[in-house]
Amino acid sequence: MAERTIAAISTPQGEGAIGVIRISGEDAVSVADRVFSAVSGKPLSSLSGYKAAYGTIHDGENLLDNAVALVYRAPKSYTGEDVVEISVHGGALMLKSVLRLILQNGAYPADRGEFTKRAFLNGKLDLTEAESIMGLISAQNESSLKMSRAALSGRVSKKVAEIEADLISAAAAIAAYSDYPDEDIEGLNEESFQKMLKNAADELKAMLTSYDAGKVLREGITTVIVGKPNVGKSTLMNLLSGEERSIVTEVAGTTRDIVEEMVALGDITLRLADTAGIHETDDTVESIGVNLAEKRIDTAQLVLAVFDGTKPLDNNDKRILQSVKGKNVIVIINKTDLESKIKASDFIGFKTVEISAKLGNGYPELCSAVAEISGTAHLDPDSAVLLSERQRLCAYKAYEGVTEALSALQSGCTMDAVGVCVDDALAALLELTGKRVTNEVSDEIFRKFCVGK
Ligand code: GDP
């Protein structure tokens, strides 16, 4: 059944030099011809793909705007269908009135993500590539942009396809063995079979690890700065903020407002929650400060625990150190521009960085320590990085299937049992790229897109 022709505004709502309305479907060109007249007098239906015409948008006699109409012919368009993109002046009211006219002339309003969904259904991109488009649009930093670009260029799909190909030959060999158990089946040498499964498990494991690091690069990491009064937390905060202070977001909490400040530290965005906790006054009773710190530590993905290097550790410092044990923590020994009274042996087992928050010394070392502890230090954003929780879950299911197949093989289970696990892994990979996916899953993915995408 032919899909109905859809239309939507594809540029942001607001004031801009131009705004674009996209029409896609079998009747895209004829719908556009009903509302657009080219100055050349030629209808859009006479144009081949990738040709543009300048003219006017009109509702009967009534002129709405000057416009450029760009024609794409199926399958060489974003959606794989005939597409017309009409550029008019970019006011919200203007765009709405032109869209209304297009809808009155035979197009239907597009659902969220419907253009990209059609591109997926028409084989123009797979699900990892479709999801990368969402990443490209929402990227807040250079690394996110790179990861999304890599995925859009097919890095993730290619990596998954390689693992998939190995598992398909494994499944085929197992099936052949089940049919002819007494014959030597090529490719079913146990050693090479194990090696292949092990290799697939390693590749999947690496992808899962890169997801976690990629997520930190994309979304930032919730961080708290803790330490007794006067150790230099505010000074550190100022050093981190520097010129880079970007956004202060106020998120309405259920019981009170939490203020989150975002600061860039190298490639990583630190989401400093509850910075109010940093700014105790000199007369804050130390133990109250420590109690506060303990509460905040539990809620963060990263703790920066600051100590004053000019004073030996006292009991409150030790309490703080005790409460950050086992957390993702960097111990910061501050005030290294003055004489040190702290011993390295005070911090055995902790990742430690020495800085002078006042002078900025040790800042690069702090950046490296944060990258190291967040797992981003060794992540190449141009590589195949999984971009969504859905992708991670599929990769994880595949990893589980492969490792179960390996242990079934090693513990002497039947080849049928090994085959079931390999099939599970394969199904998960096919779902990851969308080669085999239910409508519910793909609907769910495209619902997260905006209208017009
Ligand atoms: P907080 O109470 O932990 O937020 O500490 P502050 O940031 O307010 O710093 C307390 C005092 O230590 C201030 O007088 C700072 O100027 C000083 N201070 C902070 N960092 C350094 C540093 O790296 N070197 C030196 N010499 N003084 C520092």
Side-chain angles (χ1 to χ4, degrees):
M1 192 191 75
E3 292 274 7
R4 58 193 193 175
T5 294
I6 51 170
I9 299 167
S10 285
T11 40
Q13 301 283 325
E15 291 177 16
I18 56 167
V20 175
I21 292 157
R22 190 188 257 164
I23 314 171
S24 179
E26 215 171 44
D27 300 328
V29 178
S30 55
V31 168
D33 261 335
R34 278 177 222 137
V35 302
F36 176 84
S37 296
V39 288
S40 66
K42 286 189 199 155
L44 296 174
S45 58
S46 68
L47 299 188
S48 54
Y50 305 138
K51 291 281 184 308
Y54 175 65
T56 54
I57 297 284
H58 51 83
D59 181 5
E61 294 296 298
N62 187 14
L63 172 79
L64 264 68
D65 200 1
N66 297 337
V68 172
L70 177 55
V71 175
Y72 300 79
R73 292 292 183 177
K76 294 185 175 174
S77 71
Y78 181 69
T79 57
E81 304 170 330
D82 275 357
V83 168
V84 181
E85 283 176 1
I86 297 183
S87 304
V88 291
H89 289 107
L93 202 57
M94 168 64 75
L95 283 161
K96 275 187 190 152
S97 60
V98 175
L99 175 64
R100 194 179 311 125
L101 183 67
I102 289 168
L103 298 180
Q104 283 161 359
N105 279 276
Y108 291 82
D111 284 338
R112 285 172 165 273
E114 195 171 356
F115 294 99
T116 310
K117 185 178 178 183
R118 288 183 178 202
F120 165 64
L121 294 173
N122 290 326
K124 303 291 289 186
L125 28 83
D126 74 10
L127 278 189
T128 62
E129 290 159 350
E131 283 174 312
S132 70
I133 291 174
M134 208 147 56
L136 271 186
I137 294 171
S138 61
Q140 297 286 337
N141 57 45
E142 197 58 41
S143 309
S144 305
L145 206 57
K146 276 190 186 166
M147 286 185 282
S148 300
R149 242 188 249 133
L152 183 60
S153 70
R155 293 268 155 81
V156 176
S157 320
K158 192 160 163 269
K159 179 109 253 147
V160 173
E162 284 165 13
I163 305 172
E164 219 175 82
D166 274 355
L167 294 184
I168 286 172
S169 35
I174 291 169
Y177 175 83
S178 303
D179 291 343
Y180 307 102
D182 297 330
E183 300 197 10
D184 266 351
I185 306 287
E186 205 186 325
L188 201 61
N189 162 318
E190 185 161 330
E191 197 182 324
S192 65
F193 193 70
Q194 272 207 34
K195 207 167 147 201
M196 188 273 301
L197 286 178
K198 176 86 177 50
N199 187 42
D202 289 347
E203 296 272 14
L204 286 164
K205 181 93 195 182
M207 287 182 100
L208 288 166
T209 309
S210 73
Y211 171 78
D212 293 335
K215 189 163 187 240
V216 169
L217 285 185
R218 278 197 313 279
E219 298 176 7
I221 183 166
T222 56
T223 307
V224 291
I225 300 176
V226 297
K228 284 184 326 188
N230 281 321
V231 292
K233 299 181 297 299
S234 307
T235 313
L236 172 64
M237 184 62 200
N238 289 341
L239 172 72
L240 294 176
S241 302
E243 296 296 308
E244 301 284 355
R245 173 169 296 185
S246 45
I247 312 162
V248 177
T249 33
E250 300 216 3
V251 184
T254 43
T255 52
R256 68 193 178 107
D257 284 347
I258 296 169
V259 178
E260 194 176 68
E261 273 184 62
M262 314 257 241
V263 299
L265 191 69
D267 288 337
I268 300 179
T269 304
L270 301 187
R271 308 169 68 102
L272 286 151
D274 202 5
T275 48
I278 296 176
H279 308 291
E280 304 106 354
T281 52
D282 282 354
D283 54 348
T284 308
V285 179
E286 283 199 356
S287 59
I288 294 179
V290 175
N291 285 339
L292 248 178
E294 285 173 346
K295 277 200 198 116
R296 295 159 65 228
I297 286 163
D298 276 340
T299 60
Q301 295 169 303
L302 173 67
V303 181
L304 302 179
V306 187
F307 297 89
D308 184 341
T310 65
K311 295 192 177 112
L313 290 195
D314 68 10
N315 283 339
N316 281 322
D317 288 315
K318 286 179 185 157
R319 237 179 92 188
I320 290 191
L321 208 51
Q322 194 59 33
S323 58
V324 298
K325 239 187 200 148
K327 306 275 172 197
N328 219 17
V329 59
I330 295 174
V331 163
I332 296 178
I333 302 170
N334 189 30
K335 310 193 187 180
T336 52
D337 52 302
L338 303 174
E339 194 194 337
S340 173
K341 294 275 171 54
I342 280 187
K343 307 184 296 295
S345 58
D346 290 328
F347 300 107
I348 285 173
F350 289 96
K351 187 177 263 304
T352 308
V353 179
E354 295 187 8
I355 67 164
S356 164
K358 197 170 178 175
L359 303 182
N361 301 346
Y363 182 82
E365 288 76 9
L366 182 58
C367 290
S368 311
V370 170
E372 199 63 53
I373 209 163
S374 324
T376 63
H378 309 291
L379 178 75
D380 172 7
D382 288 321
S383 65
V385 184
L386 299 174
L387 286 182
S388 69
E389 182 57 29
R390 183 197 72 82
Q391 293 177 13
R392 190 197 69 80
L393 214 67
C394 291
Y396 184 71
K397 278 196 246 163
Y399 175 71
E400 259 186 349
V402 174
T403 46
E404 277 166 19
L406 259 175
S407 58
L409 198 65
Q410 283 156 356
S411 58
C413 290
T414 63
M415 273 323 240
D416 281 348
V418 179
V420 169
C421 303
V422 172
D423 285 348
D424 285 349
L426 256 176
L429 290 184
L430 293 174
E431 187 176 332
L432 201 163
T433 50
K435 283 188 194 139
R436 199 191 294 158
V437 76
T438 61
N439 283 344
E440 287 74 23
V441 171
S442 67
D443 284 352
E444 182 61 31
I445 292 167
F446 292 108
R447 248 198 301 277
K448 293 190 194 129
F449 280 59
C450 47
V451 173
K453 184 68 245 155

